[in-house]
Amino acid sequence: MTNSTLPGQASDAPVTRDATWWRHGVVYQVYPRSFADANGDGTGDIGGIRSRLPYLHQLGVNAIWVSPWYPSPLNDGGYDVADYRDIDPRFGTLADAEALIAEAHALDIRVLVDIVPNHTSHVHPWFQAALAAEPGSPERDRYLFREGKGADGEEPPTNWTCVFGGPAWRRVPDGQWYLHLFDFTQPDLNWANEEVRAEFDDIFRFWLARGVDGFRIDVSHGMVKDLTFPDVPTIEELLETSKAIDHPHWDRDGVHEINRRWRRVLDESDRDVMMVAEAWVSAESQPLYLRTDEYHQVFNFEFLVTPWDRVAAGAAIDRAVSAAQAVGSAPTWTLSNHDVMRHASRYGLPADINWRTWPLTGPYEALDPELGLRRARAGSLLLMALPGSIYLYQGEELGLPEVWDLPAEVLDDPVWEDSGHTQKGRDGCRVPLPWVTDGPSFGFGDGDAWLPQPKWFGEMSVEAQTGIPGSTIELYRAALAARAEYMSHDESLEWLDLGDAVLAFRRGSGVICIINYGEATVELPAGELIVASTDVTAGLPTDACAWLLPDAACPGADLRWRASS
Ligand code: GLC
């Protein structure tokens, strides 16, 4: 492979200038291991992404967000980085990454990379140096090493727990413990250390010089810890106090100073670059991340976890739009990503079932796949009508469900082991994509894929759906084209009153979006139909969504759905 662009020159590629592209962008998440495998080793790669850029262009996306592609032992799918300035050989080379960025730009597709600042991999040279060094050394100070409690320090320094399960501390041979909020192969960095801060400034500059258009920041609410290391209060202690708790490691005030530092680095660029935070924080806290000198955007996970319910969905939309507008940002919308059960399965489970534990515990007969797909199509069409930017996850345009029945022996997600086999983990949404109807790995590569694909994957492939009226891929294509035509650069949303069973709103162009959460088919206003999630010739059926340009004005609403909650 030749290097078609030189470092720093990719910025000259002809991506259209638009300083606010991210406010209304359609961002497609590529999970590189599972997208497309060009070299046939069973693992997706940059060559695969490059070969599918025309597909993404035709789908109508404005940007791709590439999950980590750096050298990594892949203990957590690449969110365990060993070198932030290179590409894992299984994915390709730095030259391949530069070529991808240039080719994407030529198609007017921007590229976001994933930065993982909370922790490194345990094989990162810094952590290896820390293990080799003495307690109290500068090498150890880049991480969070502490003495344990108890007579011989045999108990962990705090009661903090690992997000994937078990304690968040691991002991090293000389007796000290190190902190890992995720798997033990992901030691937490010490963000009070200036060397750590400076290193990440430089990592941002490195990727900006290669032409990237933005960054998705992993666990952006977790970097700052209370260095007095108090225990996290127990539920009983919390019940006894009326004080809001100052959590020792989530969403601490100190993260904002880091956000501002990064924003200054991004603002050095003369291109239209942005950063979006993965921050699982409260609704009150989110706007703080969106101040004009911090993040451009924060993922809105409330919409993702909202059950299929008219009042809940309306309230979640209203809250996100108002919260973003209040701080001059634009909302983000997403229904699936590499960490959650795909929405075509979530929506097929009864609301009282916990979809995180269900793949292990069942009851499996509770899943209604047809209902899930119907609602997923309607929910995706609703999402594509909303003001702000949307983040799509690879394969959702095929209506792919979760592969929830992967056998234990193929599970790769550390959640399976760390949770002591009480959570199956996230592999079910990471199964390599089916591109063609049959053949080896359904066109993902030319041999077996790193995770087994179910037999029925071919029927859902890109090939099987392309050009088929009513297929999910054609629904996405039509909706994204209509979104570009009628909704681009418009940030308004006006609620309409079209009855108690539906949510309905109008966008600035006059296009209205209606989704039916009720049990009966409802009449649609007369007008020009733009796109619908199902056949609407006899009205809008249950669990369906349509966009249309009405012939006459529709009545505005005063958010009555809130009152009925
Ligand atoms: C984020 C990623 C997730 C990863 C975790 C630790 O939540 O999205 O995949 O496991 O951070 O890096």
Side-chain angles (χ1 to χ4, degrees), residues 76 79 116 119 164 182 186 216 218-219 278 280 338-339 426 430:
D76 183 19
Y79 285 91
V116 188
H119 44 264
F164 297 158
F182 293 87
Q186 296 167 291
R216 178 263 189 193
D218 192 63
V219 199
E278 184 211 24
W280 293 85
H338 66 295
D339 288 331
R426 301 158 294 178
R430 301 173 177 178

Side-chain angles (χ1 to χ4, degrees), residues 69-414:
W69 51 7
Y70 318 105
S72 164
L74 300 183
N75 280 320
D76 183 19
Y79 285 91
D80 46 325
V81 181
D83 178 355
Y84 292 82
R85 297 183 189 77
D86 205 350
I87 299 290
D88 191 283
R90 284 163 286 189
F91 298 142
T93 63
L94 209 44
D96 296 338
E98 289 171 343
L100 167 69
I101 294 165
E103 288 163 11
H105 285 177
L107 293 171
D108 228 2
I109 295 177
R110 294 167 206 267
V111 180
L112 312 185
V113 291
D114 213 316
I115 299 287
V116 188
N118 181 66
H119 44 264
T120 68
S121 161
H122 67 145
V123 304
H124 189 288
W126 274 9
F127 193 68
Q128 289 302 311
L131 289 180
E134 300 284 302
S137 59
E139 288 83 357
R140 288 223 169 160
D141 190 54
R142 294 173 182 141
Y143 293 89
L144 293 161
F145 281 84
R146 289 295 182 276
E147 302 301 332
K149 284 184 183 160
D152 297 315
E154 73 284 358
E155 287 166 35
T158 67
N159 68 348
W160 302 2
T161 51
C162 161
V163 172
F164 297 158
W169 296 94
R170 192 172 180 94
R171 206 166 189 194
V172 297
D174 60 36
Q176 279 206 313
W177 298 74
Y178 70 86
L179 179 71
H180 59 91
L181 290 182
F182 293 87
D183 187 56
F184 77 91
T185 62
Q186 296 167 291
D188 279 52
L189 285 163
N190 174 16
W191 274 86
N193 180 320
E194 176 55 29
E195 199 186 350
V196 170
R197 294 182 177 225
E199 172 74 354
F200 276 84
D201 293 349
D202 192 67
I203 291 166
F204 279 104
R205 291 196 181 100
F206 177 89
W207 288 103
L208 286 169
R210 270 145 196 89
V212 304
D213 304 283
F215 302 92
R216 178 263 189 193
I217 311 295
D218 192 63
V219 199
S220 68
H221 57 307
M223 291 162 297
V224 174
K225 278 83 181 178
D226 182 340
L227 296 179
T228 66
F229 289 97
D231 276 353
V232 174
T234 61
I235 298 283
E236 293 72 34
E237 285 163 347
L238 282 176
L239 289 174
E240 275 170 24
T241 170
S242 53
K243 277 199 304 191
I245 87 145
D246 184 21
H247 198 281
H249 58 78
W250 293 135
D251 194 25
R252 295 186 64 76
D253 286 348
V255 297
H256 296 290
E257 190 193 325
I258 300 171
N259 301 346
R260 286 192 280 270
R261 180 172 177 141
W262 292 344
R263 181 61 180 259
R264 285 194 296 274
V265 174
L266 263 66
D267 286 347
E268 288 165 9
S269 168
D270 61 358
R271 292 181 298 110
D272 307 322
V273 298
M274 59 84 77
M275 57 179 185
V276 54
E278 184 211 24
W280 293 85
V281 297
S282 67
E284 296 75 52
S285 199
Q286 229 190 51
L288 301 177
Y289 287 70
L290 291 170
R291 286 176 287 196
T292 49
D293 56 353
E294 298 195 31
Y295 281 93
H296 298 78
Q297 289 189 309
V298 177
F299 283 119
N300 156 24
F301 294 119
E302 187 193 350
F303 184 65
L304 185 151
V305 297
T306 299
W308 189 261
D309 176 84
R310 172 177 179 266
V311 172
I317 293 170
D318 199 47
R319 261 197 297 274
V321 170
S322 318
Q325 282 174 352
V327 286
S329 183
T332 65
W333 309 100
T334 189
L335 283 171
S336 280
N337 63 35
H338 66 295
D339 288 331
V340 295
M341 174 182 275
R342 284 186 178 274
H343 61 285
S345 296
R346 276 200 328 265
Y347 285 154
L349 285 172
D352 59 353
I353 281 191
N354 177 350
W355 49 263
R356 293 187 191 273
T357 48
W358 175 85
L360 197 61
T361 59
Y364 302 122
E365 62 284 2
L367 177 69
D368 180 342
E370 278 168 31
L371 175 76
L373 182 57
R374 196 163 72 229
R375 289 184 171 175
R377 289 164 55 100
S380 296
L381 199 52
L382 167 71
L383 170 131
M384 291 187 264
L386 290 168
S389 57
I390 59 176
Y391 286 78
L392 307 176
Y393 177 52
Q394 65 180 35
E396 69 166 82
E397 74 276 23
L398 306 176
L400 287 186
E402 184 83 358
V403 184
W404 56 268
D405 53 357
L406 287 168
E409 58 276 15
V410 304
L411 296 179
D412 183 76
D413 185 351

Side-chain angles (χ1 to χ4, degrees), residues 427-445:
D427 294 306
C429 65
R430 301 173 177 178
V431 175
L433 293 192
W435 292 91
V436 299
T437 310
D438 52 16
S441 61
F442 303 109
F444 166 70

Side-chain angles (χ1 to χ4, degrees), residues 528-542:
E528 180 196 340
L529 182 71
I530 295 169
V531 56
S533 65
T534 191
D535 181 4
V536 293
T537 40
L540 188 68
T542 179

